[in-house]
Amino acid sequence: MTHFTIDLSAITVLTDAQFDALCANNPDIKFERTPNGELVIMAPTGGETGKDNATLTADFVIWNRQTGLGVVFDSSTCFRLPGGGDRSPDVTWVEKARWEALPPDLRRKFPPICPDFVLELLSPSDNPQTIRAKMQEYLSCGAKLGWMLNPEEQQAEIYRPDQPVEVLDAPASLSGEPVLPGLVLQLGWLWEGAVK
C-alpha cells in the first residue's frame, strides 16, 4: 500500500490535458500530480482506513446538509490547485458561492479551485512528512483550514493560514469554526478504534 512518485522531467512535462487523458485512460489507478509535475500513483486504502474515511465523510455530509453552506467531496475527487498540483484530499469542502461560480463544464472535470477545507487521514503506509508538505501546499493555494488526522499516533494537526501548526493529542472533538460554522467533529471513536 505504498504511494509511488515518478519524476518524468527527464523525458516530458505532462500538460493538464495529458494528465487528464492519463487519468481517463487508467480509471482503476488513482493519480495525483505535484506542483513540480511529478506523477504520484496512489495505493488503494486498506479496510480500516477506508472505513474511517467513510465515517468522516459522512459526518461532513450530514453537517453540510443541515447548513447548506457548501459542497463536500470524497477522496476520489481530484482538484486542480492554483499552485500547479492536482490533489485528492480525503475529505474536502468548498463554500457554496465559490463552487457555484465555477462554470458547469469545469465542475465536471478536475475542478480548478482550492477547497476551503481539507482533511487528510493518515493510513499506516503514509509518510507523515509527505502529508505535512501536502497540507502546506493546500494552504499556499488558498485553503482556509486543514486537519491531518493520524490514528496511529493519536494526533490531530490543525493547519491555518499564517499560523503555526497546532498539534493536539487525541482530541475528543475538533471545531470547524469559523470556516465550517457549527461543525464539531467527534473523534473519540477514531482514537479508540486505532489499530496499532
Side-chain angles (χ1 to χ4, degrees):
M1 304 246 185
T2 303
H3 303 333
F4 295 98
T5 301
I6 303 170
D7 183 354
L8 302 172
S9 63
I11 55 173
T12 189
V13 174
L14 290 178
T15 65
D16 289 348
Q18 289 170 326
F19 179 76
D20 295 353
L22 177 70
C23 294
N25 290 339
N26 298 279
D28 295 332
I29 301 173
K30 183 176 175 183
F31 295 105
E32 285 188 342
R33 187 168 51 156
T34 72
N36 298 331
E38 297 164 319
L39 187 65
V40 182
I41 301 171
M42 309 291 289
T45 61
E48 287 294 326
T49 301
K51 171 185 69 72
D52 293 346
N53 235 348
T55 300
L56 290 165
T57 303
D59 288 343
F60 279 87
V61 168
I62 291 167
W63 163 80
N64 194 63
R65 279 190 178 172
Q66 293 169 346
T67 65
L69 295 174
V71 183
V72 175
F73 301 89
D74 70 3
S75 63
S76 63
T77 307
C78 185
F79 290 89
R80 179 146 291 144
L81 300 178
D86 294 286
R87 298 295 194 175
S88 301
D90 291 320
V91 181
T92 51
W93 180 83
V94 176
E95 190 268 326
K96 187 175 184 178
R98 290 185 68 230
W99 178 251
E100 291 177 348
L102 284 177
D105 63 316
L106 294 181
R107 290 189 227 164
R108 285 188 286 274
K109 299 177 181 180
F110 297 152
I113 190 170
C114 181
D116 295 284
F117 168 82
V118 295
L119 183 151
E120 290 282 7
L121 175 67
L122 268 70
S123 65
S125 64
D126 282 332
N127 178 327
Q129 293 300 74
T130 300
I131 305 302
R132 287 183 181 111
K134 284 173 70 172
M135 299 303 290
Q136 293 299 334
E137 180 185 347
Y138 300 140
L139 288 180
S140 71
C141 289
K144 298 174 187 169
L145 178 65
W147 294 342
M148 185 179 93
L149 304 179
N150 187 340
E152 285 199 346
E153 297 298 322
Q154 299 198 347
Q155 286 184 331
E157 296 183 15
I158 315 302
Y159 292 78
R160 298 178 185 93
D162 304 317
Q163 294 184 33
V165 176
E166 182 180 2
V167 180
L168 303 173
D169 291 320
S173 64
L174 292 176
S175 169
E177 297 287 349
V179 178
L180 308 167
L183 175 72
V184 177
L185 184 66
Q186 300 300 322
L187 290 174
W189 63 270
L190 182 64
W191 316 128
E192 292 167 7
V195 176
K196 294 222 176 200

